[in-house]
Amino acid sequence: MQNELDLYDITIVGGGPAGLFAAFYSGMRSMKTKLIEASPYLGGKLNSYPDKMIWDVGGQPPIKAKQLARQLIEQAMTFDPTIVLNQQIQDIKRTREGYYIIQSKTGECHLTRTIVLSIGYGAKSAIKLSVKDADKYENSNLHYTVTDLKQYKGKRVLISGGGDSAVDFANALYGIAHDVMVVHRRNEFKGHERSVETLLTNRIRVKMPFAVKRLEGDQARINAVEIDQVDEKGVFLNRCEHVKVDAVIVNHGMKADIGGIRNWGLKTDDRHILVNDKLETGKEGIYAAGDSAMFGNKIHLLAGAFTDAATAVNHAKSYIKPESAMDIFISSHNPVFDEKNELIEQAAK
Ligand SMILES: Cc1cc2nc3c(=O)[nH]c(=O)nc-3n(C[C@H](O)[C@H](O)[C@H](O)COP(=O)(O)OP(=O)(O)OC[C@H]3O[C@@H](n4cnc5c(N)ncnc54)[C@H](O)[C@@H]3O)c2cc1C
């Protein structure tokens, strides 16, 4: 299989700020670069606070997170790295030649000399409904997100959850679905104020504080849901109601997990990969950067992510080409920029 795979100098796992800056930096260091991101989007946590103003990035006047993400992506593309989206890396194998083959959850393989893990606190996945047989219906009518509103046309939909997603999906389905019921275990919604107001003005049935207790169905589909009132600790109070449904949508939030990477034999604590001041993990050629890394005086902020990216890439470069170690002082005087500088100056005239 190794023969069929294209060999990269460096593979960056995670396309948040640390990974994006690492992709730029490794291009600048003339490394053949691949960046793999688990989600469909680059930008990492910046996507979770798009309209927040960021003040503390060096040389950058206040900027919204979504704009910073756009700029980081643009910068990352400077040296045309290979970008792979929708692949969560989880397994690793060492080849006889000392390269690594890393494998995604969905089975795709990537061959590389070095790896930078810039995975934040791990890939995000939906928190599952912890009710008997819930997993059995995931391929039929129990969903953790809404990809196509039309599939609920004329249907009776029960939404479990009380955050932004639950409230937004309920509003979006109002008028499309035959009937929408929101079941939430607390007495108030966490969703955006205006969306909650819309939800309460729409004729959407709301059951609070209630939770899903049991799913009723045949082998293939859920036909009804038993919901029960809960106390503030989430304990069922045996005031059950029976709701007939055509579909159940569960929005209980997301959890981040480093998943299979925990089995790579790296030193970790509960959220981080432990590294030394060269950002080496202890496994040859594997580095960690950004929020996923932990070492003395580590800064878990954007400023720290960018410094880590440069440090990890420079040491990855030295690992595959030890004589190149001093090139790091060339930085923006690097001849690779000469042609680009000319183009920029011409465009400015
Ligand atoms: C609400 C909020 C506000 C913040 N405000 C500021 C601020 O004002 N200033 C500041 O400096 N910092 C701020 N931060 C912190 C800053 O966002 C983080 O330090 C920064 O995003 C870290 O970047 P990262 O690339 O290390 O990780 P992340 O941004 O978490 O990116 C990690 C990426 O890796 C991907 N990934 C994870 N596992 C895998 C896998 N197995 N395979 C493939 N891809 C994977 C994830 O999907 C994600 O895209 C804020 C954070 C939050 C939550």
Side-chain angles (χ1 to χ4, degrees):
M1 180 217 298
Q2 187 189 323
N3 295 339
E4 299 155 19
L5 297 171
D6 210 1
L7 174 64
Y8 282 77
D9 292 327
I10 186 165
T11 298
I12 298 155
V13 181
L20 288 167
F21 191 57
F24 163 77
Y25 213 91
S26 56
M28 187 178 79
R29 298 295 322 269
S30 305
M31 298 170 87
K32 184 172 172 185
T33 302
K34 184 183 271 186
L35 184 150
I36 305 173
E37 165 58 43
S39 77
Y41 313 101
L42 296 170
K45 286 193 196 76
L46 295 174
N47 295 313
S48 68
Y49 52 97
D51 290 315
K52 193 196 118 147
M53 203 61 94
I54 297 174
W55 286 78
D56 52 347
V57 173
Q60 173 62 63
I63 182 170
K64 282 195 173 176
K66 61 184 172 197
Q67 180 57 25
L68 182 62
R70 279 198 283 269
Q71 291 180 191
L72 279 164
I73 293 167
E74 186 187 333
Q75 185 184 37
M77 300 309 155
T78 308
F79 298 100
D80 295 322
T82 299
I83 304 288
V84 178
L85 299 175
N86 293 311
Q87 285 192 27
Q88 182 182 338
I89 293 304
Q90 65 170 14
D91 293 321
I92 192 163
K93 253 192 300 194
R94 193 110 203 235
T95 70
R96 253 181 282 132
E97 297 81 358
Y99 307 145
Y100 288 105
I101 295 179
I102 53 176
Q103 192 173 11
S104 72
K105 226 173 161 178
T106 36
E108 294 90 349
C109 291
H110 307 272
L111 183 65
T112 187
R113 293 175 199 271
T114 63
I115 299 167
V116 172
L117 292 169
S118 47
I119 55 173
Y121 301 125
K124 285 193 172 164
S125 58
I127 296 173
K128 298 289 174 91
L129 180 68
S130 56
V131 167
K132 187 167 176 279
D133 287 341
D135 54 339
K136 197 168 91 181
Y137 299 110
E138 279 181 29
N139 291 327
S140 56
N141 61 344
L142 186 147
H143 307 130
Y144 288 97
T145 189
V146 173
T147 46
D148 180 11
L149 290 171
K150 290 195 295 291
Q151 85 179 95
Y152 301 96
K153 193 168 177 350
K155 299 208 165 140
R156 297 162 299 180
V157 182
L158 183 144
I159 299 178
S160 176
D164 276 320
S165 302
V167 171
D168 289 350
F169 286 146
N171 286 331
L173 286 171
Y174 179 71
I176 295 176
H178 170 73
D179 179 50
V180 181
M181 174 186 270
V182 178
V183 177
H184 181 35
R185 67 198 163 113
R186 305 233 184 276
N187 258 324
E188 56 188 30
F189 285 106
K190 275 196 292 177
H192 194 277
E193 234 171 30
R194 192 170 299 165
S195 311
V196 174
E197 270 168 37
T198 310
L199 176 94
L200 299 174
T201 347
N202 287 339
R203 283 198 333 274
I204 292 173
R205 287 192 292 156
V206 172
K207 293 299 291 184
M208 300 195 295
F210 268 72
V212 172
K213 191 174 194 181
R214 207 159 57 86
L215 302 174
E216 293 173 19
D218 49 30
Q219 282 309 304
R221 301 180 70 77
I222 304 167
N223 304 318
V225 177
E226 186 177 84
I227 59 171
D228 191 359
Q229 197 172 345
V230 288
D231 67 13
E232 63 283 357
K233 289 188 180 140
V235 176
F236 288 118
L237 299 174
N238 277 325
R239 292 176 195 147
C240 298
E241 292 185 24
H242 201 256
V243 188
K244 287 214 155 50
V245 297
D246 299 305
V248 175
I249 298 169
V250 178
N251 293 132
H252 290 181
M254 307 289 280
K255 64 174 170 35
D257 183 20
I258 73 168
I261 293 174
R262 208 173 278 286
N263 306 323
W264 288 17
L266 310 175
K267 289 192 200 104
T268 55
D269 64 16
D270 57 336
R271 290 177 100 185
H272 307 103
I273 298 163
L274 308 185
V275 288
N276 62 16
D277 61 1
K278 295 178 178 171
L279 301 195
E280 292 166 336
T281 59
K283 287 250 175 213
E284 264 185 39
I286 306 183
Y287 306 82
D291 279 1
S292 54
M294 180 58 98
F295 53 92
N297 298 322
K298 161 70 192 161
I299 302 175
H300 284 105
L301 284 171
L302 293 159
F306 299 147
T307 312
D308 290 357
T311 307
V313 168
N314 283 330
H315 287 285
K317 176 80 186 196
S318 304
Y319 171 74
I320 54 178
K321 201 172 171 212
E323 67 278 15
S324 70
M326 294 307 282
D327 292 355
I328 58 173
F329 297 111
I330 295 173
S331 189
S332 288
H333 295 298
N334 194 314
V336 296
F337 289 120
D338 289 350
E339 198 184 324
K340 292 183 191 296
N341 288 343
E342 257 174 49
L343 290 174
I344 291 169
E345 275 168 27
Q346 270 167 23
K349 275 182 196 157

